[in-house]
Amino acid sequence: MKLILLGAPGAGKGTQAEILGRKLGIPTISTGNILRTAVKNGTEVGKRAKAFMDAGKLVPDEVILDILEERLAQSDCAQGYILDGVPRTIAQAEALEARGIVFDHVISLEISDEEIVKRMDGRRVCSHCGTPFHVESKPPKVDGVCDACGSALMEREDDKPETVRHRLEVYHQETEPLKEFYARRGKLASVPGNLGTIEDTTRAIEQVLGA
């Protein structure tokens, strides 16, 4: 099963991707993670990305998609995968199609901007492995410590209210149009991202997937 999770920053994509990936036995692929891994491993495309990053420039779509294609070719993706954070724009979605990368389902997690601002203010991520937590809805077993690897949790600059509002503006302008793009292809399903608990949202997604 090949899935895309869409939704505004803070809608719960990372958390749901982690749960669904575990249940379905397929990897979750985050753009940020594969970019860092490619640079760290010094792959050919990783070196290209690093050159842009070192120059303080955004990594171009073509390089991002090369890294993604390289990752999708690995054996653990043979039975499917979940994409979190890509595509971000219509141009990226069209480029994926041009490369023959297509999806079974596109799930859009729907939640209001104000709720997202409140939610992200309580978000924490592992400084080492990136596992997401939340002080209210998904607290770690030990305060400030990652359940997965034991490293310290941190609040990202990106999660502060003024930054979140700017990121939401960018999302509505650049990424939200993907909903119509995939709806026209008969792939889109919308799921409320605030159904009560994380498990409630997971169950709603599973119903859409028939999982």
Side-chain angles (χ1 to χ4, degrees):
M1 189 178 288
K2 298 171 183 176
L3 309 177
I4 296 174
L5 286 184
L6 287 180
K13 299 186 300 296
T15 298
Q16 292 300 329
E18 178 193 341
I19 295 167
L20 291 166
R22 201 164 51 238
K23 289 191 169 193
L24 297 170
I26 55 178
T28 295
I29 298 174
S30 154
T31 316
N33 288 346
I34 61 172
L35 188 57
R36 284 189 290 271
T37 300
V39 170
K40 181 181 174 184
N41 292 345
T43 67
E44 201 55 46
V45 71
K47 290 175 185 173
R48 286 166 56 204
K50 188 174 186 299
F52 286 100
M53 293 160 74
D54 287 349
K57 297 178 181 177
L58 287 175
V59 179
D61 281 0
E62 183 186 350
V63 178
I64 294 283
L65 296 177
D66 283 348
I67 288 174
L68 178 62
E69 199 164 15
E70 186 176 75
R71 177 67 184 87
L72 298 185
Q74 294 178 18
S75 59
D76 64 335
C77 293
Q79 300 304 313
Y81 45 80
I82 301 169
L83 292 191
D84 171 17
V86 63
R88 286 185 185 275
T89 63
I90 298 286
Q92 286 185 355
E94 289 173 340
L96 286 173
E97 285 190 348
R99 291 169 182 243
I101 300 171
V102 294
F103 306 94
D104 300 310
H105 297 277
V106 178
I107 305 293
S108 177
L109 294 174
E110 303 292 338
I111 186 168
S112 73
D113 285 5
E114 282 313 306
E115 193 162 345
I116 281 175
V117 171
K118 180 181 174 185
R119 177 184 285 189
M120 290 184 76
D121 198 34
R123 192 157 80 162
R124 303 291 182 270
V125 294
C126 177
S127 56
H128 178 67
C129 71
T131 300
F133 294 89
H134 193 279
V135 294
E136 292 179 3
S137 61
K138 192 191 173 188
K141 292 173 185 172
V142 178
D143 189 38
V145 178
C146 176
D147 294 351
C149 72
S151 298
L153 301 183
M154 63 179 187
E155 181 177 15
R156 302 188 313 175
E157 197 66 35
D158 275 0
D159 292 339
K160 295 183 176 173
E162 60 277 12
T163 311
V164 171
R165 288 194 174 88
H166 173 68
R167 291 174 67 203
L168 286 167
E169 285 176 17
V170 173
Y171 166 77
H172 290 308
Q173 183 178 344
E174 296 185 358
T175 305
E176 197 164 32
L178 284 169
K179 287 158 61 175
E180 184 181 346
F181 179 89
Y182 286 114
R184 289 199 304 267
R185 285 152 176 77
K187 304 287 187 183
L188 184 76
S190 295
V191 172
N194 56 346
L195 287 172
T197 68
I198 290 169
E199 291 76 17
D200 291 335
T201 302
T202 303
R203 277 192 289 272
I205 294 172
E206 287 176 325
Q207 284 183 343
V208 169
L209 300 178

